[in-house]
Amino acid sequence: MKSGKVGQAMSKYSIFFVLLVMILISMLMNDKFLSTRNITNIAVQLSVATILAYGEMVLIVSGLLDLSSGAVLALAGVLSVSVYKSTGNLALAVAVSIGVAVAFNMINALFVANFAMPAFIVTLATQMAARGLALLYTKGQNILQIGDYAKLGQGSIGPIPIPVIFMIAATIVIWYIMNHTKLGRSFYAIGGNEEASIASGINVVKSKYKAFLINGILVGIAGVLFMARVNAGLPNGALGYEMEGLTAAIVGGTSFSGGVGTTSGTLIGSFIIGCLNNIMNLQGVDAYIQQVVKGGIIVAAVLYDIRFKNKKAPKVILQKKEDAPSAKA
């Protein structure tokens, strides 16, 4: 009995153990790793990818997916920068970024929820469209001299960088939605068993729209932070960032089969990827080798998900089904 409880605890907290081991190894490899400056850099660099990862986590838990977030981020970001340069209104610029990202996610939701098209295909198509529109709008040129807009990505409030503040706020909001609302429970129920969710009275179409809506808001915020951090509007920016978000979510315990995933796990998964990137940079590892390592991590995480975590999925799904009747969204 005791060994069973120990096994459950090890399984539950294994992701924290992995992060701890990675930090210890990184400390031994490079004495600069734990410096205040380096830790701050890691947190700032992680901010955009972590915010995207929360959106991916919400979608994957709901049995969905988004391959367009990097491209939509770029389009929303360059339009936001352009609006700011034209008007000098920062609030309007942020609203434009969020609005554009939400609009694309509503298109994704329309085809996925109403026309039952696979999210993989739909978001792959919108990825191409968004990237093409970003390049068309800017004629392939970067938008430079963005002025005070850059403060959102490079400024601080007290000792805390602004991107980290956005990341913390997103963490709190997503954690609350997923753990303390009927909407969050409906996401788990739909991803666990969509037919059972329909039978229990959950409006599956509306819940899918809301999942994409949350993702759109997060992508729009990430677009502002990304462009502000690089101090330019880059139509070709954030290439592959959708994979950064997916990797963080999957490494953090979100199951591709749906119905399983946590905000805390996604955050830890993001920090694992961020620490790995950082130590490889500090050690001067070739950028191409870094890509190979990341690819290996994705394969290993998905393999673990298929071989081990899915054995426990029915228990999780059953628990969510029991909550489902009160989870009308």
Side-chain angles (χ1 to χ4, degrees), residues 17-36:
F17 179 72
V18 170
L19 178 60
L20 179 61
V21 169
M22 178 165 288
I23 289 172
L24 291 173
I25 293 173
S26 299
M27 285 169 51
L28 294 173
M29 291 177 66
N30 195 302
D31 57 3
K32 295 179 181 178
F33 179 79
L34 275 187
S35 67
T36 302

Side-chain angles (χ1 to χ4, degrees), residues 285-309:
V285 176
D286 187 275
Y288 301 127
I289 295 177
Q290 292 188 31
Q291 292 183 25
V292 173
V293 171
K294 290 179 188 177
I297 288 173
I298 295 173
V299 171
V302 173
L303 180 63
Y304 176 76
D305 175 49
I306 293 171
R307 294 293 298 276
F308 297 100
K309 288 193 310 190

Side-chain angles (χ1 to χ4, degrees), residues 72 97-103 105 211-221:
V72 172
S97 182
I98 294 174
V100 170
V102 166
N105 273 268
F212 274 110
L213 172 64
I214 291 170
N215 183 59
I217 293 170
L218 293 171
V219 171
I221 292 170

Side-chain angles (χ1 to χ4, degrees), residues 48-72:
V48 171
T50 302
I51 291 170
L52 289 180
Y54 290 145
E56 295 288 1
M57 184 268 291
V58 170
L59 289 173
I60 296 171
V61 162
S62 307
L64 305 168
L65 184 70
D66 184 15
L67 296 179
S68 68
S69 56
V72 172

Side-chain angles (χ1 to χ4, degrees), residues 87-108:
T87 66
N89 189 324
L90 190 56
L92 178 60
V94 173
V96 165
S97 182
I98 294 174
V100 170
V102 166
F104 265 84
N105 273 268
M106 290 301 94
I107 293 171
N108 289 337

Side-chain angles (χ1 to χ4, degrees), residues 41-178:
N41 286 339
I42 292 174
V44 171
Q45 290 167 6
L46 279 178
S47 299
V48 171
T50 302
I51 291 170
L52 289 180
Y54 290 145
E56 295 288 1
M57 184 268 291
V58 170
L59 289 173
I60 296 171
V61 162
S62 307
L64 305 168
L65 184 70
D66 184 15
L67 296 179
S68 68
S69 56
V72 172
L73 180 160
L75 175 62
V78 295
L79 289 173
S80 175
V81 168
S82 179
V83 167
Y84 179 75
K85 288 198 70 172
S86 299
T87 66
N89 189 324
L90 190 56
L92 178 60
V94 173
V96 165
S97 182
I98 294 174
V100 170
V102 166
F104 265 84
N105 273 268
M106 290 301 94
I107 293 171
N108 289 337
L110 172 66
F111 287 103
V112 172
N114 293 100
F115 294 98
M117 290 180 64
F120 178 89
I121 300 300
V122 173
T123 59
L124 185 61
T126 49
Q127 177 195 72
M128 296 176 185
R131 186 68 68 179
L133 287 171
L135 291 166
L136 180 66
Y137 177 77
T138 62
K139 296 182 173 56
Q141 302 298 311
N142 297 335
I143 302 175
L144 306 175
Q145 298 177 349
I146 64 174
D148 287 342
Y149 189 99
K151 290 181 180 179
L152 286 175
Q154 300 176 8
S156 298
I157 296 178
I160 307 176
I162 291 175
V164 176
I165 293 172
F166 273 96
M167 180 177 68
I168 293 170
T171 302
I172 294 169
V173 171
I174 297 302
W175 172 83
Y176 182 80
I177 290 173
M178 299 303 288

